Amino acid sequence: FQAEDGIRDLVRSRGLGDVYKRQDLGFEGPPSKTRVVVAMSGGVDSSVTAALAAEAGYDVIGITLQLYDHGETLRKKGACCAGVDIHDARNVADQIGIPHYVLDYESLFRNAVIDDFADSYLRGETPIPCVRCNQTVKFQDLLKTAKDLGADALCTGHYVKRVIGNQGTELHCGEDPLKDQSYFLFATTREQLDYLRFPLGHLSKDETRAHAARFKLNVAEKPDSQDICFVPDGRYSDVVKRLRPGAIDPGKIIHIDGSILGEHQGIINFTIGQRKGLGIGGRVAAEAIGESPPLYVVELDPTQKTVIVGPKSALARDMVIVNQINWIGPDIPWAESIDVLVKLRSTQEPVHGTLCRGDNDEGRIILQQKQFGISSGQAAVFYSVENRSRVFGGGWIVGTELTDKIQ
């Protein structure tokens, strides 16, 4: 959107000037009598969310969360909730004429997200802190704050859709598959969905930026955040080392046949399925085990501080074990199995599987085809086979197995 004429053409061709006014937030009363809190991170998505709600006449309150030391993050570009983002959110609120508050959630964020992130790596897992943040800080603590302020809804800039179905509120993928964030919201409960609103779910990113340009927001061309917000320059190992000094204990790199191929400087530097940066040359590995590279990380043993590597075939799994299942799908007996589409990574296309739920929100997923590089600490997110956009929920991956089911 370098040229204003291009912006105007996009707005005109897609009717963006009044697209929000043709849709409301689903309340019976007039917008002026309906209070909504908008979670404003300082980015273009949440800024447009607030501007659209204000334009539609709602009583809007903007809230920005201070989640970590902004003295450090002021120097970090490409993150969300940093010091500069708080400044941007405040400016947008002033521009659209809504009250804006900054709440200190640093302690909550540290306990619920950052500490969990570090401990997860020590357990040999690959965590997703954005899910934990949504699950705890934003959709639990912030949601409660919104209710305390007398708000009828909490609005966020997530690219997902909230749909009223035959059995209540449903969560669906965002209209734009390139921006869909449903994987990161699998832990959202039905009760939370009843209170949440996602005004951008029907828009593409280009359409959102067109709205930002229409409102003349200073963040209209602000880049999207790319890294984990509290990880400077994407170097997550530096954060874990600072929080958990024992994480850098050295150990052995071992082939699945038992051959010792080298040493490492901490298992936190490795993830399941990793191929590059193993610290063992392809030639050395080939000579040691009589096999040509490439080699992949197939297992992490935090107790023994070992990294186990092997060929890609050693990564194959057809069973995924999950816990803390959040189910927002159709009402069926808990013990019954159900066919689902499942995402095992945020960037992966869903694959077919059968979810068998057990006791205490635990379960296992039998995959129709073997998958490679499934890591504990990631999420398995369930989608409807009949309606691929509908989210049935998900759970945290705690283990995998290779069974005789798939030959």
Side-chain angles (χ1 to χ4, degrees), residues 47-106:
S47 296
V48 168
T49 297
L52 288 172
E55 179 187 52
Y58 289 97
D59 176 13
V60 182
I61 298 175
I63 290 182
T64 300
L65 305 181
Q66 178 187 318
L67 298 181
Y68 46 88
D69 178 55
H70 46 273
E72 176 179 331
T73 55
L74 268 171
R75 300 188 298 272
K76 181 179 184 291
K77 297 181 179 180
C80 70
C81 305
V84 67
D85 297 312
I86 294 175
H87 176 74
D88 287 343
R90 181 179 292 114
N91 283 345
V92 168
D94 288 344
Q95 186 176 352
I96 63 179
I98 65 170
H100 175 258
Y101 303 96
V102 178
L103 303 182
D104 183 359
Y105 275 33
E106 190 169 336

CSV table of all heavy atoms in Angstrom, one decimal, residues 47-106:
chain,number,residue,atom,x,y,z
A,47,SER,N,-5.6,-2.9,16.0
A,47,SER,CA,-5.9,-1.5,15.8
A,47,SER,C,-7.1,-1.3,14.9
A,47,SER,O,-8.0,-0.5,15.2
A,47,SER,CB,-4.7,-0.7,15.2
A,47,SER,OG,-3.6,-0.7,16.1
A,48,VAL,N,-7.2,-2.1,13.8
A,48,VAL,CA,-8.3,-2.1,13.0
A,48,VAL,C,-9.6,-2.6,13.7
A,48,VAL,O,-10.7,-2.1,13.5
A,48,VAL,CB,-8.1,-2.9,11.7
A,48,VAL,CG1,-9.3,-3.1,10.9
A,48,VAL,CG2,-7.0,-2.1,10.8
A,49,THR,N,-9.4,-3.7,14.5
A,49,THR,CA,-10.5,-4.2,15.3
A,49,THR,C,-11.1,-3.1,16.1
A,49,THR,O,-12.4,-3.0,16.2
A,49,THR,CB,-10.0,-5.4,16.2
A,49,THR,OG1,-9.5,-6.4,15.4
A,49,THR,CG2,-11.1,-5.9,17.1
A,50,ALA,N,-10.3,-2.3,16.8
A,50,ALA,CA,-10.8,-1.3,17.6
A,50,ALA,C,-11.5,-0.2,16.8
A,50,ALA,O,-12.6,0.3,17.2
A,50,ALA,CB,-9.7,-0.7,18.5
A,51,ALA,N,-10.9,0.2,15.7
A,51,ALA,CA,-11.4,1.2,14.8
A,51,ALA,C,-12.8,0.8,14.2
A,51,ALA,O,-13.7,1.7,14.2
A,51,ALA,CB,-10.4,1.6,13.7
A,52,LEU,N,-12.9,-0.4,13.8
A,52,LEU,CA,-14.1,-0.9,13.2
A,52,LEU,C,-15.3,-0.9,14.3
A,52,LEU,O,-16.4,-0.5,14.0
A,52,LEU,CB,-14.0,-2.3,12.7
A,52,LEU,CG,-13.1,-2.4,11.4
A,52,LEU,CD1,-12.9,-3.9,11.0
A,52,LEU,CD2,-13.9,-1.7,10.2
A,53,ALA,N,-14.9,-1.3,15.5
A,53,ALA,CA,-15.9,-1.3,16.5
A,53,ALA,C,-16.4,0.1,16.9
A,53,ALA,O,-17.6,0.3,17.1
A,53,ALA,CB,-15.4,-2.1,17.8
A,54,ALA,N,-15.4,1.0,17.0
A,54,ALA,CA,-15.8,2.4,17.3
A,54,ALA,C,-16.6,3.0,16.2
A,54,ALA,O,-17.6,3.7,16.4
A,54,ALA,CB,-14.5,3.2,17.5
A,55,GLU,N,-16.2,2.7,14.9
A,55,GLU,CA,-17.0,3.2,13.8
A,55,GLU,C,-18.4,2.7,13.8
A,55,GLU,O,-19.4,3.4,13.4
A,55,GLU,CB,-16.3,2.8,12.5
A,55,GLU,CG,-17.0,3.3,11.2
A,55,GLU,CD,-16.4,2.7,9.9
A,55,GLU,OE1,-16.2,1.4,9.9
A,55,GLU,OE2,-16.1,3.4,9.0
A,56,ALA,N,-18.6,1.5,14.2
A,56,ALA,CA,-20.0,0.9,14.2
A,56,ALA,C,-20.8,1.4,15.4
A,56,ALA,O,-22.0,1.1,15.5
A,56,ALA,CB,-19.9,-0.6,14.3
A,57,GLY,N,-20.2,2.2,16.2
A,57,GLY,CA,-21.0,2.9,17.3
A,57,GLY,C,-20.9,2.2,18.7
A,57,GLY,O,-21.6,2.6,19.6
A,58,TYR,N,-20.1,1.2,18.8
A,58,TYR,CA,-20.0,0.5,20.1
A,58,TYR,C,-19.2,1.4,21.1
A,58,TYR,O,-18.4,2.3,20.8
A,58,TYR,CB,-19.3,-0.8,20.0
A,58,TYR,CG,-20.1,-1.9,19.2
A,58,TYR,CD1,-20.0,-2.1,17.9
A,58,TYR,CD2,-21.1,-2.6,19.9
A,58,TYR,CE1,-20.7,-3.0,17.2
A,58,TYR,CE2,-21.9,-3.5,19.2
A,58,TYR,CZ,-21.7,-3.7,17.9
A,58,TYR,OH,-22.5,-4.6,17.2
A,59,ASP,N,-19.5,1.1,22.4
A,59,ASP,CA,-18.8,1.8,23.5
A,59,ASP,C,-17.5,1.0,23.7
A,59,ASP,O,-17.5,0.0,24.3
A,59,ASP,CB,-19.7,1.8,24.7
A,59,ASP,CG,-19.0,2.3,26.0
A,59,ASP,OD1,-17.9,3.0,25.8
A,59,ASP,OD2,-19.5,2.1,27.1
A,60,VAL,N,-16.4,1.5,23.1
A,60,VAL,CA,-15.2,0.7,23.0
A,60,VAL,C,-14.2,1.2,24.1
A,60,VAL,O,-14.0,2.4,24.3
A,60,VAL,CB,-14.6,0.9,21.6
A,60,VAL,CG1,-13.3,0.0,21.5
A,60,VAL,CG2,-15.6,0.4,20.6
A,61,ILE,N,-13.6,0.2,24.7
A,61,ILE,CA,-12.4,0.5,25.6
A,61,ILE,C,-11.2,-0.3,25.1
A,61,ILE,O,-11.4,-1.5,24.9
A,61,ILE,CB,-12.7,0.1,27.1
A,61,ILE,CG1,-13.9,0.9,27.6
A,61,ILE,CG2,-11.5,0.2,28.0
A,61,ILE,CD1,-14.3,0.4,29.0
A,62,GLY,N,-10.1,0.3,24.9
A,62,GLY,CA,-8.9,-0.4,24.5
A,62,GLY,C,-8.0,-0.7,25.7
A,62,GLY,O,-7.8,0.1,26.6
A,63,ILE,N,-7.5,-1.9,25.7
A,63,ILE,CA,-6.6,-2.4,26.7
A,63,ILE,C,-5.4,-3.0,26.1
A,63,ILE,O,-5.4,-3.8,25.2
A,63,ILE,CB,-7.3,-3.4,27.7
A,63,ILE,CG1,-8.4,-2.7,28.5
A,63,ILE,CG2,-6.2,-4.1,28.6
A,63,ILE,CD1,-9.0,-3.6,29.5
A,64,THR,N,-4.2,-2.5,26.6
A,64,THR,CA,-2.9,-3.1,26.2
A,64,THR,C,-2.3,-3.7,27.4
A,64,THR,O,-2.3,-3.1,28.4
A,64,THR,CB,-2.0,-2.0,25.5
A,64,THR,OG1,-2.7,-1.5,24.4
A,64,THR,CG2,-0.7,-2.6,25.1
A,65,LEU,N,-1.7,-4.8,27.2
A,65,LEU,CA,-1.1,-5.6,28.3
A,65,LEU,C,0.5,-5.3,28.2
A,65,LEU,O,1.1,-5.6,27.2
A,65,LEU,CB,-1.4,-7.0,28.2
A,65,LEU,CG,-2.8,-7.4,28.2
A,65,LEU,CD1,-3.0,-9.0,28.2
A,65,LEU,CD2,-3.6,-6.9,29.4
A,66,GLN,N,1.0,-4.9,29.4
A,66,GLN,CA,2.5,-4.9,29.5
A,66,GLN,C,2.9,-6.3,30.0
A,66,GLN,O,2.5,-6.7,31.1
A,66,GLN,CB,2.9,-3.8,30.5
A,66,GLN,CG,4.4,-3.8,30.7
A,66,GLN,CD,4.9,-2.9,31.8
A,66,GLN,OE1,4.4,-1.7,31.8
A,66,GLN,NE2,5.8,-3.3,32.6
A,67,LEU,N,3.5,-7.1,29.2
A,67,LEU,CA,3.8,-8.5,29.5
A,67,LEU,C,5.2,-8.8,30.0
A,67,LEU,O,5.4,-9.8,30.5
A,67,LEU,CB,3.5,-9.3,28.3
A,67,LEU,CG,2.0,-9.3,27.8
A,67,LEU,CD1,1.8,-10.2,26.6
A,67,LEU,CD2,1.0,-9.6,28.9
A,68,TYR,N,6.1,-7.9,29.6
A,68,TYR,CA,7.5,-8.2,30.0
A,68,TYR,C,8.3,-6.9,30.0
A,68,TYR,O,7.7,-5.8,29.6
A,68,TYR,CB,8.2,-9.2,29.1
A,68,TYR,CG,7.9,-8.9,27.7
A,68,TYR,CD1,8.7,-8.1,26.9
A,68,TYR,CD2,6.8,-9.5,27.0
A,68,TYR,CE1,8.5,-7.8,25.6
A,68,TYR,CE2,6.5,-9.2,25.7
A,68,TYR,CZ,7.4,-8.3,25.0
A,68,TYR,OH,7.1,-8.1,23.7
A,69,ASP,N,9.5,-6.9,30.4
A,69,ASP,CA,10.3,-5.7,30.6
A,69,ASP,C,10.5,-4.9,29.3
A,69,ASP,O,11.1,-5.4,28.3
A,69,ASP,CB,11.8,-6.1,31.0
A,69,ASP,CG,12.7,-4.9,31.2
A,69,ASP,OD1,12.3,-3.9,31.9
A,69,ASP,OD2,13.7,-4.9,30.5
A,70,HIS,N,9.8,-3.8,29.2
A,70,HIS,CA,9.8,-3.0,27.9
A,70,HIS,C,11.1,-2.2,27.7
A,70,HIS,O,11.4,-1.7,26.7
A,70,HIS,CB,8.6,-2.1,27.8
A,70,HIS,CG,8.3,-1.3,29.1
A,70,HIS,ND1,7.5,-1.8,30.1
A,70,HIS,CD2,8.7,-0.1,29.4
A,70,HIS,CE1,7.4,-0.9,31.0
A,70,HIS,NE2,8.1,0.2,30.7
A,71,GLY,N,11.9,-2.2,28.8
A,71,GLY,CA,13.2,-1.5,28.6
A,71,GLY,C,14.1,-2.3,27.6
A,71,GLY,O,14.8,-1.8,26.8
A,72,GLU,N,14.0,-3.7,27.7
A,72,GLU,CA,14.7,-4.5,26.8
A,72,GLU,C,14.0,-4.6,25.4
A,72,GLU,O,14.7,-4.6,24.4
A,72,GLU,CB,14.8,-5.9,27.4
A,72,GLU,CG,15.5,-7.0,26.5
A,72,GLU,CD,15.6,-8.3,27.2
A,72,GLU,OE1,15.6,-8.4,28.4
A,72,GLU,OE2,15.6,-9.3,26.4
A,73,THR,N,12.7,-4.7,25.4
A,73,THR,CA,12.0,-5.0,24.1
A,73,THR,C,11.8,-3.8,23.3
A,73,THR,O,11.5,-3.9,22.1
A,73,THR,CB,10.7,-5.6,24.4
A,73,THR,OG1,9.9,-4.8,25.3
A,73,THR,CG2,10.8,-7.0,25.0
A,74,LEU,N,12.1,-2.6,23.8
A,74,LEU,CA,12.0,-1.4,23.0
A,74,LEU,C,13.0,-1.5,21.8
A,74,LEU,O,12.8,-0.9,20.8
A,74,LEU,CB,12.3,-0.1,23.8
A,74,LEU,CG,11.1,0.6,24.5
A,74,LEU,CD1,11.6,1.6,25.5
A,74,LEU,CD2,10.2,1.2,23.4
A,75,ARG,N,14.1,-2.2,22.0
A,75,ARG,CA,15.1,-2.3,21.0
A,75,ARG,C,14.8,-3.4,20.0
A,75,ARG,O,15.6,-3.7,19.1
A,75,ARG,CB,16.5,-2.5,21.6
A,75,ARG,CG,16.9,-1.4,22.6
A,75,ARG,CD,18.3,-1.5,23.0
A,75,ARG,NE,18.5,-2.8,23.8
A,75,ARG,CZ,18.4,-2.8,25.1
A,75,ARG,NH1,18.0,-1.8,25.8
A,75,ARG,NH2,18.6,-4.0,25.7
A,76,LYS,N,13.8,-4.2,20.3
A,76,LYS,CA,13.5,-5.4,19.5
A,76,LYS,C,12.4,-5.1,18.5
A,76,LYS,O,11.3,-4.7,18.9
A,76,LYS,CB,13.1,-6.5,20.4
A,76,LYS,CG,12.8,-7.8,19.6
A,76,LYS,CD,12.4,-8.9,20.6
A,76,LYS,CE,12.2,-10.2,19.9
A,76,LYS,NZ,11.1,-10.2,19.0
A,77,LYS,N,12.7,-5.2,17.2
A,77,LYS,CA,11.7,-5.1,16.2
A,77,LYS,C,11.0,-6.4,15.8
A,77,LYS,O,11.7,-7.5,16.0
A,77,LYS,CB,12.3,-4.4,14.9
A,77,LYS,CG,12.8,-3.0,15.2
A,77,LYS,CD,13.4,-2.5,13.9
A,77,LYS,CE,13.9,-1.1,14.1
A,77,LYS,NZ,14.5,-0.5,12.9
A,78,GLY,N,9.8,-6.4,15.3
A,78,GLY,CA,9.2,-7.6,14.8
A,78,GLY,C,8.5,-8.4,16.0
A,78,GLY,O,8.3,-9.6,15.8
A,79,ALA,N,8.3,-7.8,17.1
A,79,ALA,CA,7.6,-8.5,18.2
A,79,ALA,C,6.3,-7.8,18.5
A,79,ALA,O,6.0,-6.7,18.0
A,79,ALA,CB,8.5,-8.4,19.4
A,80,CYS,N,5.5,-8.5,19.3
A,80,CYS,CA,4.2,-7.8,19.7
A,80,CYS,C,4.4,-7.5,21.2
A,80,CYS,O,5.2,-8.1,21.9
A,80,CYS,CB,3.0,-8.7,19.5
A,80,CYS,SG,2.9,-10.2,20.5
A,81,CYS,N,3.5,-6.6,21.7
A,81,CYS,CA,3.5,-6.2,23.1
A,81,CYS,C,4.8,-5.7,23.6
A,81,CYS,O,5.1,-5.7,24.8
A,81,CYS,CB,3.1,-7.5,24.0
A,81,CYS,SG,1.5,-8.2,23.4
A,82,ALA,N,5.6,-5.2,22.7
A,82,ALA,CA,6.9,-4.5,23.2
A,82,ALA,C,6.6,-3.0,23.5
A,82,ALA,O,5.5,-2.5,23.3
A,82,ALA,CB,7.9,-4.6,22.1
A,83,GLY,N,7.6,-2.3,24.1
A,83,GLY,CA,7.3,-1.0,24.5
A,83,GLY,C,6.8,-0.1,23.4
A,83,GLY,O,5.9,0.7,23.6
A,84,VAL,N,7.4,-0.2,22.2
A,84,VAL,CA,7.0,0.7,21.1
A,84,VAL,C,5.6,0.3,20.7
A,84,VAL,O,4.8,1.2,20.3
A,84,VAL,CB,8.0,0.5,19.9
A,84,VAL,CG1,7.9,-0.9,19.3
A,84,VAL,CG2,7.7,1.5,18.8
A,85,ASP,N,5.1,-0.9,20.9
A,85,ASP,CA,3.8,-1.3,20.6
A,85,ASP,C,2.7,-0.7,21.5
A,85,ASP,O,1.6,-0.4,21.1
A,85,ASP,CB,3.6,-2.8,20.6
A,85,ASP,CG,4.5,-3.4,19.5
A,85,ASP,OD1,4.5,-3.0,18.3
A,85,ASP,OD2,5.2,-4.4,19.8
A,86,ILE,N,3.1,-0.6,22.8
A,86,ILE,CA,2.2,0.1,23.8
A,86,ILE,C,2.0,1.5,23.3
A,86,ILE,O,0.9,2.1,23.4
A,86,ILE,CB,2.8,0.0,25.2
A,86,ILE,CG1,2.8,-1.4,25.7
A,86,ILE,CG2,2.0,0.9,26.1
A,86,ILE,CD1,3.5,-1.6,27.0
A,87,HIS,N,3.1,2.2,22.9
A,87,HIS,CA,3.0,3.5,22.4
A,87,HIS,C,2.1,3.6,21.2
A,87,HIS,O,1.3,4.5,21.1
A,87,HIS,CB,4.4,4.0,22.0
A,87,HIS,CG,4.5,5.4,21.4
A,87,HIS,ND1,4.3,6.6,22.1
A,87,HIS,CD2,4.7,5.8,20.1
A,87,HIS,CE1,4.4,7.6,21.3
A,87,HIS,NE2,4.6,7.1,20.1
A,88,ASP,N,2.3,2.7,20.2
A,88,ASP,CA,1.4,2.7,19.0
A,88,ASP,C,0.0,2.5,19.4
A,88,ASP,O,-0.9,3.1,18.8
A,88,ASP,CB,1.9,1.6,18.1
A,88,ASP,CG,3.2,1.9,17.4
A,88,ASP,OD1,3.6,3.1,17.4
A,88,ASP,OD2,3.8,1.0,16.8
A,89,ALA,N,-0.3,1.6,20.3
A,89,ALA,CA,-1.7,1.3,20.7
A,89,ALA,C,-2.3,2.6,21.3
A,89,ALA,O,-3.5,2.9,21.0
A,89,ALA,CB,-1.8,0.1,21.7
A,90,ARG,N,-1.6,3.2,22.1
A,90,ARG,CA,-2.1,4.5,22.8
A,90,ARG,C,-2.4,5.5,21.7
A,90,ARG,O,-3.4,6.2,21.8
A,90,ARG,CB,-1.1,5.0,23.8
A,90,ARG,CG,-1.5,6.3,24.5
A,90,ARG,CD,-0.5,6.7,25.5
A,90,ARG,NE,-0.4,5.8,26.6
A,90,ARG,CZ,0.7,5.1,26.9
A,90,ARG,NH1,1.8,5.2,26.1
A,90,ARG,NH2,0.8,4.3,27.9
A,91,ASN,N,-1.5,5.7,20.7
A,91,ASN,CA,-1.8,6.6,19.6
A,91,ASN,C,-3.0,6.3,18.8
A,91,ASN,O,-3.8,7.2,18.5
A,91,ASN,CB,-0.5,6.7,18.7
A,91,ASN,CG,0.6,7.5,19.3
A,91,ASN,OD1,0.4,8.2,20.3
A,91,ASN,ND2,1.8,7.3,18.8
A,92,VAL,N,-3.2,5.0,18.5
A,92,VAL,CA,-4.4,4.6,17.8
A,92,VAL,C,-5.6,4.9,18.6
A,92,VAL,O,-6.6,5.4,18.0
A,92,VAL,CB,-4.3,3.1,17.4
A,92,VAL,CG1,-5.7,2.6,16.9
A,92,VAL,CG2,-3.2,2.9,16.3
A,93,ALA,N,-5.6,4.6,19.9
A,93,ALA,CA,-6.8,4.9,20.7
A,93,ALA,C,-7.1,6.4,20.7
A,93,ALA,O,-8.3,6.8,20.6
A,93,ALA,CB,-6.5,4.4,22.1
A,94,ASP,N,-6.1,7.2,20.8
A,94,ASP,CA,-6.3,8.6,20.8
A,94,ASP,C,-6.9,9.1,19.5
A,94,ASP,O,-7.8,9.9,19.4
A,94,ASP,CB,-5.0,9.4,21.0
A,94,ASP,CG,-4.5,9.3,22.5
A,94,ASP,OD1,-5.3,8.9,23.3
A,94,ASP,OD2,-3.3,9.5,22.7
A,95,GLN,N,-6.4,8.5,18.4
A,95,GLN,CA,-6.8,8.8,17.0
A,95,GLN,C,-8.3,8.5,16.8
A,95,GLN,O,-9.0,9.3,16.2
A,95,GLN,CB,-5.9,8.1,16.0
A,95,GLN,CG,-6.2,8.6,14.6
A,95,GLN,CD,-5.2,7.9,13.6
A,95,GLN,OE1,-4.3,7.3,14.0
A,95,GLN,NE2,-5.5,8.1,12.3
A,96,ILE,N,-8.7,7.3,17.3
A,96,ILE,CA,-10.1,6.9,17.0
A,96,ILE,C,-11.1,7.4,18.2
A,96,ILE,O,-12.3,7.1,18.1
A,96,ILE,CB,-10.2,5.4,16.8
A,96,ILE,CG1,-9.8,4.6,18.0
A,96,ILE,CG2,-9.4,5.0,15.6
A,96,ILE,CD1,-9.9,3.1,17.8
A,97,GLY,N,-10.5,8.0,19.2
A,97,GLY,CA,-11.3,8.6,20.2
A,97,GLY,C,-11.9,7.6,21.2
A,97,GLY,O,-13.1,7.7,21.6
A,98,ILE,N,-11.1,6.7,21.7
A,98,ILE,CA,-11.6,5.7,22.7
A,98,ILE,C,-10.7,5.8,23.9
A,98,ILE,O,-9.5,6.1,23.8
A,98,ILE,CB,-11.7,4.3,22.2
A,98,ILE,CG1,-10.3,3.7,21.8
A,98,ILE,CG2,-12.6,4.2,21.0
A,98,ILE,CD1,-10.2,2.3,21.5
A,99,PRO,N,-11.2,5.4,25.1
A,99,PRO,CA,-10.3,5.4,26.3
A,99,PRO,C,-9.3,4.2,26.1
A,99,PRO,O,-9.7,3.1,25.5
A,99,PRO,CB,-11.3,5.2,27.4
A,99,PRO,CG,-12.5,4.6,26.8
A,99,PRO,CD,-12.6,5.2,25.5
A,100,HIS,N,-8.2,4.3,26.7
A,100,HIS,CA,-7.1,3.3,26.5
A,100,HIS,C,-6.4,3.1,27.9
A,100,HIS,O,-6.0,4.1,28.5
A,100,HIS,CB,-6.1,3.7,25.4
A,100,HIS,CG,-5.0,2.7,25.3
A,100,HIS,ND1,-3.7,3.0,25.8
A,100,HIS,CD2,-4.9,1.5,24.7
A,100,HIS,CE1,-2.9,1.9,25.5
A,100,HIS,NE2,-3.6,1.0,24.9
A,101,TYR,N,-6.2,1.9,28.3
A,101,TYR,CA,-5.5,1.5,29.5
A,101,TYR,C,-4.4,0.5,29.3
A,101,TYR,O,-4.6,-0.4,28.5
A,101,TYR,CB,-6.5,1.0,30.5
A,101,TYR,CG,-7.7,1.9,30.8
A,101,TYR,CD1,-8.9,1.7,30.2
A,101,TYR,CD2,-7.5,3.0,31.7
A,101,TYR,CE1,-9.9,2.6,30.4
A,101,TYR,CE2,-8.6,3.8,32.0
A,101,TYR,CZ,-9.8,3.6,31.3
A,101,TYR,OH,-10.8,4.5,31.6
A,102,VAL,N,-3.3,0.7,30.0
A,102,VAL,CA,-2.2,-0.3,30.0
A,102,VAL,C,-2.2,-1.0,31.3
A,102,VAL,O,-2.1,-0.3,32.4
A,102,VAL,CB,-0.9,0.4,29.7
A,102,VAL,CG1,0.3,-0.6,29.7
A,102,VAL,CG2,-0.9,1.2,28.4
A,103,LEU,N,-2.3,-2.3,31.3
A,103,LEU,CA,-2.4,-3.1,32.5
A,103,LEU,C,-1.1,-3.9,32.6
A,103,LEU,O,-0.6,-4.5,31.7
A,103,LEU,CB,-3.6,-4.1,32.4
A,103,LEU,CG,-4.9,-3.4,32.2
A,103,LEU,CD1,-6.0,-4.5,32.3
A,103,LEU,CD2,-5.2,-2.3,33.3
A,104,ASP,N,-0.6,-3.9,33.8
A,104,ASP,CA,0.7,-4.6,34.1
A,104,ASP,C,0.4,-6.1,34.4
A,104,ASP,O,-0.1,-6.4,35.5
A,104,ASP,CB,1.4,-4.0,35.3
A,104,ASP,CG,2.7,-4.6,35.6
A,104,ASP,OD1,3.1,-5.6,34.9
A,104,ASP,OD2,3.4,-4.2,36.6
A,105,TYR,N,0.6,-6.9,33.4
A,105,TYR,CA,0.4,-8.4,33.5
A,105,TYR,C,1.7,-9.1,33.5
A,105,TYR,O,1.8,-10.3,33.2
A,105,TYR,CB,-0.5,-8.9,32.3
A,105,TYR,CG,-2.0,-8.7,32.6
A,105,TYR,CD1,-2.5,-7.7,33.3
A,105,TYR,CD2,-2.8,-9.7,32.0
A,105,TYR,CE1,-3.9,-7.6,33.5
A,105,TYR,CE2,-4.2,-9.6,32.2
A,105,TYR,CZ,-4.7,-8.5,32.9
A,105,TYR,OH,-6.1,-8.4,33.1
A,106,GLU,N,2.8,-8.4,33.8
A,106,GLU,CA,4.1,-9.0,33.7
A,106,GLU,C,4.3,-10.2,34.6
A,106,GLU,O,4.8,-11.2,34.2
A,106,GLU,CB,5.2,-7.9,34.0
A,106,GLU,CG,6.6,-8.4,33.7
A,106,GLU,CD,7.6,-7.2,33.8
A,106,GLU,OE1,7.2,-6.0,33.7
A,106,GLU,OE2,8.8,-7.5,34.0
